[in-house]
Amino acid sequence: NNKPFNMKLSLALLTAISGANAFSVTNSNARASMQLNANRQPIMAGNWKMNPETEDEALGLASGLSQKLGEETCPMDDDNEFCTEVVIFPPHPFAARVKAEVEEVGITVGAQSVFYENKGAYTGSVSINMVKSIGCEYVLCGHSERRTLFGDSDDSINRKVKKVLEAGLKPILCCGETKGEYDLNIKNEVCAMQLSKDLTGVTKEEMANVVIAYEPVWAIGTGLVCGSEDANAVHAFLRTVLANIYDDDVAQATRIQYGGSVTPDSVDELMAQPEIDGCLVGGASLDAEKFGRIINYVKK
């Protein structure tokens, strides 16, 4: 019976959209989450999107990247709790061979998307068990390009998130506003709506395996920049949403990445912000030198 959870979800959503100033949240857990600074393992992820064009190019990029890891990058495990986790998302046809190229140095490979059914007559789709069988550990869910170009609804994204968790993999759940929504000053309300809908039915315990990525759509590949302090403020707000849906423990433990034209020039300032736990990188992840600089960001 999900009634208590759904009630909390509805309350969280109503709280988030109750006014233009979404920081007027009054829940005590939410207030506390703004004041705490939990230790969360940094996570840098490279989304290759529909690039590169050939397997040889993909393997070359993977090989180049595997030589760029520093002393403070590692896979996520109990012995290396706070070094930087690195994940890459190559196109599906390249994932298995890319994984073989990078796994020895501790880079994790994920899938850019899956369909929420296990198998069947779904031409062109990929299932969670398919990507799991070739060693993928993460799956992107709700990326802005999937929402806008391919029509992924919050309902389908929610089904994907639950399917990923059910299979023992980890979703990176993306949320973010368009330029029009940003101009209307409703970015917090949009993000709260997406997060609340997309996490419906996800338990507190399962949240240990969920990563959130805030990606302002207007800053992706446009040259427009979301300032690090502005991004940090949205991340802090997202923790108030998580605190209202679950509790402060979940809000503080959940890793939240920033994605939106992250570059070697901007990464240090972004990662100096207390609520930003990593970056979801697009174009710069296709250049081993640039992505290497990003994952080896200078800690301030």
Side-chain angles (χ1 to χ4, degrees), residues 116 141-142 146-148 150-160 173 194 197-198:
Y116 47 73
C141 298
R146 297 299 311 180
R147 291 178 188 267
T148 58
F150 299 96
D152 283 9
S153 66
D154 285 308
D155 178 66
S156 67
I157 293 165
N158 175 241
R159 294 177 72 175
K160 288 183 186 184
L173 173 60
Q194 292 173 344
K197 288 183 175 181
D198 300 344

Side-chain angles (χ1 to χ4, degrees), residues 69-85:
L69 268 67
E71 294 182 357
E72 294 187 353
T73 53
C74 64
M76 187 172 184
D77 60 55
D78 294 335
D79 296 326
N80 298 292
E81 190 176 359
F82 297 118
C83 63
T84 300
E85 183 180 13

Side-chain angles (χ1 to χ4, degrees), residues 33 36-43 76 82 85 138 161 165 170-175 195 199 202-214 232 234-258 273-278:
S33 77
L36 297 175
N37 184 14
N39 289 318
R40 297 176 290 266
Q41 183 185 22
I43 176 170
M76 187 172 184
F82 297 118
E85 183 180 13
Y138 281 87
V161 169
L165 290 167
K170 301 171 184 177
I172 294 183
L173 173 60
C174 305
C175 64
L195 208 58
L199 290 175
V202 175
T203 67
K204 174 182 177 179
E205 292 71 27
E206 288 175 322
M207 283 300 296
N209 289 319
V210 176
V211 176
I212 305 296
Y214 167 59
N232 187 71
V234 177
H235 283 219
F237 169 70
L238 294 178
R239 296 196 194 283
T240 71
V241 177
L242 292 174
N244 276 283
I245 298 174
Y246 299 102
D247 58 28
D248 193 61
D249 290 339
V250 170
Q252 285 303 307
T254 301
R255 295 183 292 174
I256 305 179
Q257 297 177 298
Y258 170 76
Q273 300 298 319
E275 304 298 345
I276 297 178
D277 304 314

Side-chain angles (χ1 to χ4, degrees), residues 92 111-131 139-141 146 152 155-157 159-164 167:
H92 290 137
Q112 294 181 18
S113 185
V114 295
F115 190 51
Y116 47 73
E117 297 291 353
N118 287 330
K119 60 180 181 179
Y122 305 105
T123 301
S125 298
V126 175
S127 74
I128 189 64
N129 289 329
M130 290 176 184
V131 301
V139 180
L140 291 178
C141 298
R146 297 299 311 180
D152 283 9
D155 178 66
S156 67
I157 293 165
R159 294 177 72 175
K160 288 183 186 184
V161 169
K162 290 190 287 189
K163 181 62 71 173
V164 171

